[in-house]
Amino acid sequence: KAGVTQTPRYLIKTRGQQVTLSCSPISGHRSVSWYQQTPGQGLQFLFEYFSETQRNKGNFPGRFSGRQFSNSRSEMNVSTLELGDSALYLCASRTSGYQETQYFGPGTRLLVL
Amino acid sequence: GESVGLHLPTLSVQEGDNSIINCAYSNSASDYFIWYKQESGKGPQFIIDIRSNMDKRQGQRVTVLLNKTVKHLSLQIAATQPGDSAVYFCAENTGNNDMRFGAGTRLTVKP
């Protein structure tokens, strides 16, 4: 099976802009989670989507949003970008339940100038 | 607050030695734990997992130990190789359908 894929791999934006990141899960996986990784804060959970519904949400401002499509592909959007949003954004998928392994994609590295 | 933490931020070992990476967790409700390996420029890669009804699980060259009494998790890598050099994260599922990660330990293998 193909692994989790994320596009784009690298992105440069300026403050105030918005950005949309895409994630395609492993075939058959219905759960997609998003994480932000920074040197200072480590890996932080953003949200999880399952069957097109947000199932869980981390402690991030409303500028961070996401959605999931019927084919389980997911997008994450960040509006009004701030310098502190520069990070590696990781997507992970699993079949359904929380006691199942999450498999990560390579991430999208976002730089906000 | 409750958190997942690592005892050591860096670990340096000689090639061929065994490595032990430790992790402390404080959420007693957590019942599923995972170790991930992350190499530079890549996403975290699953290594091994363990459920709370077990105290030990072995994979290929890796062993995870879980001590629920003291809320401690460890990853043992046998005969460490240069390709094992990476950052290792422990993660716990807290029962709320989300996963918390430790800060990570950077393992460096010296030839």
Side-chain angles (χ1 to χ4, degrees):
Chain A
K1 281 184 180 178
V4 178
T5 59
Q6 292 186 245
T7 57
R9 293 293 312 277
Y10 304 92
L11 205 50
I12 299 176
K13 292 285 187 178
T14 56
R15 279 181 298 174
Q17 287 186 310
Q18 73 164 9
V19 66
T20 299
L21 312 180
S22 181
C23 171
S24 292
I26 292 171
S27 177
H29 287 192
R30 294 164 62 194
S31 164
V32 174
S33 295
W34 287 91
Y35 295 85
Q36 181 194 66
Q37 187 177 34
T38 60
Q41 300 295 322
L43 264 165
Q44 292 187 289
F45 172 72
L46 281 156
F47 30 66
E48 180 194 13
Y49 285 86
F50 178 77
S51 294
E52 302 179 65
T53 301
Q54 189 179 87
R55 182 159 73 171
N56 201 7
K57 188 177 187 303
N59 189 27
F60 275 80
R63 299 186 298 108
F64 293 82
S65 63
R67 59 177 175 169
Q68 187 179 34
F69 302 95
S70 59
N71 62 357
S72 294
R73 190 178 69 85
S74 177
E75 288 182 346
M76 190 193 95
N77 185 76
V78 187
S79 62
T80 320
L81 284 165
E82 301 177 359
L83 295 179
D85 296 333
S86 294
L88 180 67
Y89 289 89
L90 292 158
C91 161
S93 76
R94 57 187 170 189
T95 50
S96 59
Y98 78 93
Q99 274 208 358
E100 295 175 7
T101 304
Q102 286 190 339
Y103 294 91
F104 283 84
T108 294
R109 185 163 295 282
L110 171 65
L111 177 62
V112 182
L113 301 175
Chain B
E2 295 182 320
S3 64
V4 176
L6 291 171
H7 293 309
L8 297 172
T10 61
L11 177 64
S12 183
V13 300
Q14 208 65 38
E15 181 178 358
D17 287 351
N18 296 333
S19 302
I20 299 177
I21 301 171
N22 296 302
C23 179
Y25 68 96
S26 56
N27 189 332
S28 58
S30 295
D31 57 4
Y32 179 53
F33 305 87
I34 306 171
W35 281 100
Y36 286 95
K37 170 188 180 183
Q38 188 174 23
E39 297 173 282
S40 181
K42 299 182 179 179
Q45 175 189 357
F46 170 83
I47 300 173
I48 192 168
D49 60 0
I50 189 167
R51 287 170 170 73
S52 59
N53 61 350
M54 303 171 69
D55 54 17
K56 180 179 180 179
R57 191 165 188 220
Q58 289 184 293
Q60 187 176 13
R61 285 201 304 118
V62 294
T63 301
V64 56
L65 299 177
L66 175 62
N67 186 329
K68 295 181 289 292
T69 302
V70 296
K71 298 187 182 70
H72 185 267
L73 192 69
S74 69
L75 176 70
Q76 300 178 3
I77 305 173
T80 314
Q81 303 168 359
D84 295 327
S85 294
V87 176
Y88 290 81
F89 295 93
C90 64
E92 61 176 323
N93 266 301
T94 62
N96 292 324
N97 223 11
D98 73 317
M99 187 178 296
R100 295 188 188 181
F101 286 79
T105 292
R106 181 172 298 281
L107 175 65
T108 301
V109 182
K110 297 178 288 185

